[in-house]
Amino acid sequence: MRSLAILGGGGHARSVASSAERAGWTSLALFDDRSPEAWERGPWPVSGSTDDWAAAVEAYQGVLIGVGDNVARLALHLRASGLGAPATTLIDPSASVSRHAHIGAGSVVLAAACVNVQAQLGQAVIVNTAATVDHDCRLGDGVHVSPGANLAGGVVVGARSWIGIGAVVRQGVAIGCDAVIGAGAVVLADVPDGLTVVGNPARKLER
């Protein structure tokens, strides 16, 4: 039996669990720090809090973070690593990942996604449903590429940045750390650290 702990209990955790099940993990347990009243119903039980998982870390052959928030996901991943939990990555069987790509520990590549040759993903990265990361892209720790987003070749994305659903990033563009690319945005130029851009072509979001 291959036993996997997933830290998180919301929709993303269940997406990770679904891909893990398809990838051959046979026993799945979710751990969520919200109160039991807030735990979402689903095919896999929420077995307790992340502290409960930490107290039984040796019972699981792997651990993944099922949290969408980039900062929280990366923090949980580093906590798990510090406890000596096995370094785990997840690639959905329907995804296409080049054997010449590097997928960092704690990262997930979900259903129908594509990661191409010599792409490099850091730790705790999400390449979500049907997203594409083309050749020679470099994604820092904690990045989230949302469903249907497309990164052309040679794109660089800094740590903890979020690429919104359906966004498109032109080849060779550099996106800084903690940046947000809005849903459907078309990014044609570099994006500095911490900036939110939206639209086609993408421009700074005026608040």
Side-chain angles (χ1 to χ4, degrees), residues 5-181:
I6 297 173
L7 307 188
H12 179 62
R14 286 180 279 122
S15 292
V16 170
S18 185
S19 285
E21 194 173 65
R22 289 193 293 272
W25 291 93
T26 52
S27 176
L28 305 174
L30 277 55
F31 296 87
D32 193 295
D33 286 335
R34 296 173 295 175
S35 65
E37 292 76 14
W39 291 348
E40 298 181 27
R41 295 173 180 261
W44 304 279
V46 175
S47 300
S49 70
T50 58
D51 286 341
D52 294 323
W53 162 78
V57 62
E58 294 179 359
Y60 297 92
Q61 283 74 56
V63 60
L64 287 168
I65 315 304
V67 174
D69 180 271
N70 292 343
V71 173
R73 182 175 66 260
L74 187 54
L76 280 171
H77 170 72
L78 294 174
R79 179 189 179 193
S81 298
L83 290 171
T88 307
T89 60
L90 175 65
I91 298 173
D92 188 283
S94 68
S96 174
V97 176
S98 170
R99 68 185 184 92
H100 302 291
H102 172 77
I103 311 297
S107 293
V108 298
V109 181
L110 297 183
C114 177
V115 179
N116 219 324
V117 59
Q118 292 186 287
Q120 299 179 44
L121 277 58
Q123 301 181 74
V125 169
I126 302 170
V127 181
N128 220 318
T129 309
T132 64
V133 176
D134 221 307
H135 64 86
D136 301 296
C137 287
R138 300 199 311 274
L139 278 56
D141 294 344
V143 166
H144 183 175
V145 184
S146 294
N150 297 285
L151 308 185
V155 169
V156 176
V157 183
R160 300 172 304 278
S161 286
W162 178 65
I163 313 297
I165 189 168
V168 175
V169 183
R170 190 180 70 177
Q171 68 272 14
V173 164
I175 296 170
C177 299
D178 301 297
V180 175
I181 309 303

